[in-house]
Amino acid sequence: MSDALQGLCVLVVDDEPNIRSTIHQALARTGVVPVTASNAQEAYDLLAEQEVDVVLLDLRLPDQHGLEVIDQLTKERPDLAVIAFSAHASPEVAADAVRRGAADFLAKPFEPEQMRQTLRRATAPTSTVAVTPQEYAEDVPEGVDPSLPIVVSLTHPETVPALLRIASAIAQDFESSEIVALCAVEVPRQMSLRQATQTDDASLAWQSRVMDTVKKWAPELAVGVRTKTLWTHDAGQVILDFMDDEQVAHIVMEWNPDAAEESMVSLTDVQRIARDTRSEVTLVRSALPFEPRQVAAIVREHAGSAAAVRRAWALVRQAGIGHLTVLHARKPSSDDPDEDEAAGHEFIGRVLHEANLPSDKVDPVVYVDERPRDAIFRALEAFDTICLGASSRSGVAQYLFGSLAEEVQDAYSGTVLAVQGPKYGSRTVIDKIIGPIT
């Protein structure tokens, strides 16, 4: 019986009686207090009558689609953790559920331990520590030395050079001694890992292409490169465990929905790693070839803005460009345009101070516009590389799947880096022992 789940009240919403009964029994054996509903309206009635901690929600219900239920619960009960599940799982389905506010996603059929582990993560307390302006340039998650490695997760041979260059720039900024070029090869669960490494010709060829490209480009980088291949049934979990074991300072991952079907690491795994790791994260949608010449950081009233400025400055230094452009757009708040523009420049100054970056290295640009996002989009045409901030934990899902970064990716053909600052605290021993989340 799990102390972490003892006494937790979980509402199971599914129209199939057998599934409701099976989940009910599995939860009860864990010490959870399960209640069930066969449709959305029954779920709303139960939530109005009793206190519930978590909702396990099937996305296919007879009276309302589960995504609409997530929308309503997120609006009316933002404190309530919702875990969506579906037999029709895909990266797009999972991404849509998370974008709308789900804490996690399970693919049917799932094992009881997968469900219990997902519940633990959805209800686990989290903590973050703000980085002070003076400390930012050298500060990494507590207990991690800045000289520890930067991991770059490689999934496509074509994007290896760009990701390695970005990771190299970050490593120099972190004063890290090496990059770990990590290739996680996910194989079907019905195939043993030994069998895959001997007979899965497609995966073997893919892994070989990735690592051959790393060996070709490694001599051109300013830091050392160590390669690592992990064969696994769960790429997301094995990458998280590897990062814990190595005490990684930062991970660079590709974020390209257009090439998701060809990737060895799914979009769901990428989002999960970004959500669960304590390390700093940079997600990259790279234009090819990657040759940054005009780099800009977009800063907002957002926790990730300072991290985005640091990543952009690292690229500027690597490319020898000299100056970084920092863009900020805001709505007018007074009748004096000059006053609004001055307030924008003051805000940029605060972000630069937090990022520990001298103002003489930056060209600040402020737009005062009734439609700030439109002003930013108009400005993007002048740049080939854009860096934006992403908030931590559940905020990164909203940011990546449904906010400015996604809009920029859709409207902009250049390279986009979404940066999430570090999170603090340790994963428990049980987190490292218990099984993976699907």
Side-chain angles (χ1 to χ4, degrees):
M1 187 172 293
S2 169
D3 291 337
L5 300 182
Q6 183 75 33
L8 198 72
C9 184
V10 176
L11 171 58
V12 181
V13 188
D14 194 301
D15 61 333
E16 297 185 42
N18 290 341
I19 292 179
R20 288 201 308 275
S21 176
T22 299
I23 296 177
H24 185 287
Q25 293 174 22
L27 291 174
R29 286 195 295 270
T30 311
V32 169
V33 179
V35 291
T36 62
S38 61
N39 56 51
Q41 189 56 55
E42 283 186 17
Y44 295 140
D45 292 342
L46 280 166
L47 288 170
E49 295 172 357
Q50 67 182 92
E51 196 67 31
V52 171
D53 299 298
V54 183
V55 175
L56 281 171
L57 176 69
D58 186 16
L59 293 183
R60 293 209 170 185
L61 298 174
D63 56 341
Q64 189 178 14
H65 196 283
L67 293 176
E68 296 175 354
V69 177
I70 294 173
D71 288 339
Q72 186 163 337
L73 293 180
T74 301
K75 180 180 178 181
E76 297 179 358
R77 291 285 305 275
D79 60 316
L80 186 64
V82 180
I83 297 171
F85 59 88
S86 174
H88 308 276
S90 70
E92 292 74 23
V93 171
D96 201 13
V98 172
R99 180 181 66 80
R100 291 169 182 252
D104 217 319
F105 182 87
L106 284 166
K108 284 183 180 178
F110 48 83
E111 296 297 323
E113 182 57 28
Q114 293 173 319
M115 175 181 63
R116 289 190 285 267
Q117 170 66 348
T118 305
L119 284 170
R120 291 186 184 100
R121 290 187 180 272
T123 57
T126 63
S127 61
T128 60
V129 176
V131 180
T132 65
Q134 295 79 10
E135 294 171 339
Y136 182 83
E138 299 179 358
D139 208 15
V140 294
E142 186 175 313
V144 178
D145 190 309
S147 65
L148 289 171
I150 306 295
V151 166
V152 53
S153 175
L154 302 172
T155 58
H156 293 89
E158 293 78 10
T159 58
V160 165
L163 294 178
L164 286 177
R165 289 178 61 186
I166 291 169
S168 175
I170 295 169
Q172 291 177 273
D173 194 43
F174 269 61
E175 300 182 355
S176 292
S177 59
E178 68 172 353
I179 295 171
V180 180
L182 179 63
C183 182
V185 185
E186 187 166 274
V187 301
R189 291 188 179 274
Q190 62 267 28
M191 179 184 293
S192 72
L193 298 183
R194 178 182 292 275
Q195 181 184 7
T197 58
Q198 296 174 349
T199 64
D200 189 348
D201 293 339
S203 294
L204 286 165
W206 192 270
Q207 182 265 349
S208 179
R209 285 180 61 202
V210 168
M211 288 308 181
D212 285 348
T213 309
V214 172
K215 293 175 183 177
K216 175 183 176 180
W217 283 88
E220 300 189 19
L221 304 177
V223 297
V225 179
R226 172 162 55 103
T227 59
K228 180 74 173 179
T229 298
L230 300 171
W231 293 79
T232 176
H233 293 305
D234 186 342
Q237 188 63 47
V238 78
I239 292 174
L240 282 168
D241 289 342
F242 177 81
M243 292 176 67
D244 260 6
D245 292 341
E246 295 277 337
Q247 289 188 299
V248 167
H250 191 110
I251 183 168
V252 179
M253 296 185 288
E254 185 174 5
W255 179 260
N256 187 359
D258 295 335
E261 293 183 0
E262 304 172 1
S263 177
M264 288 183 285
V265 181
S266 71
L267 297 183
T268 304
D269 280 329
V270 170
Q271 191 275 333
R272 171 176 155 204
I273 295 165
R275 180 197 64 203
D276 289 351
T277 182
R278 302 183 313 280
S279 304
E280 191 167 288
V281 178
T282 295
L283 301 182
V284 180
R285 196 287 306 274
S286 176
L288 299 176
F290 176 66
E291 296 293 342
R293 290 292 178 264
Q294 299 292 332
V295 180
I298 300 173
V299 298
R300 305 170 293 148
E301 295 285 354
H302 194 288
S305 288
V309 168
R310 289 299 307 189
R311 296 294 76 76
W313 175 243
L315 294 179
V316 164
R317 286 197 306 176
Q318 183 187 66
I321 298 170
H323 275 70
L324 166 68
T325 301
V326 176
L327 306 175
H328 174 61
R330 62 197 296 125
K331 288 186 176 182
S333 58
S334 71
D335 296 330
D336 185 351
D338 292 338
E339 182 179 329
D340 288 329
E341 185 172 348
H345 281 282
E346 181 182 351
F347 172 75
I348 291 177
R350 293 198 302 271
V351 173
L352 296 179
H353 182 63
E354 183 181 350
N356 201 17
L357 190 64
S359 59
D360 62 351
K361 303 294 186 181
V362 169
D363 296 323
V365 179
V366 176
Y367 300 98
V368 180
D369 196 296
E370 289 291 349
R371 299 175 65 88
R373 290 196 178 199
D374 290 350
I376 289 293
F377 290 138
R378 290 193 297 269
L380 295 183
E381 297 176 1
F383 304 95
D384 54 52
T385 305
I386 298 294
C387 295
L388 314 92
S391 60
S392 56
R393 296 200 71 83
S394 61
V396 73
Q398 178 184 357
Y399 193 91
L400 295 175
F401 292 118
S403 191
L404 183 60
E406 183 182 37
E407 294 178 36
V408 168
Q409 179 167 280
D410 290 341
Y412 176 67
S413 60
T415 297
V416 180
L417 281 70
V419 185
Q420 173 183 295
K423 298 184 289 290
Y424 295 77
S426 302
R427 291 173 73 199
T428 63
V429 174
I430 191 67
D431 284 332
K432 298 184 66 175
I433 295 175
I434 52 184
I437 309 171
T438 296

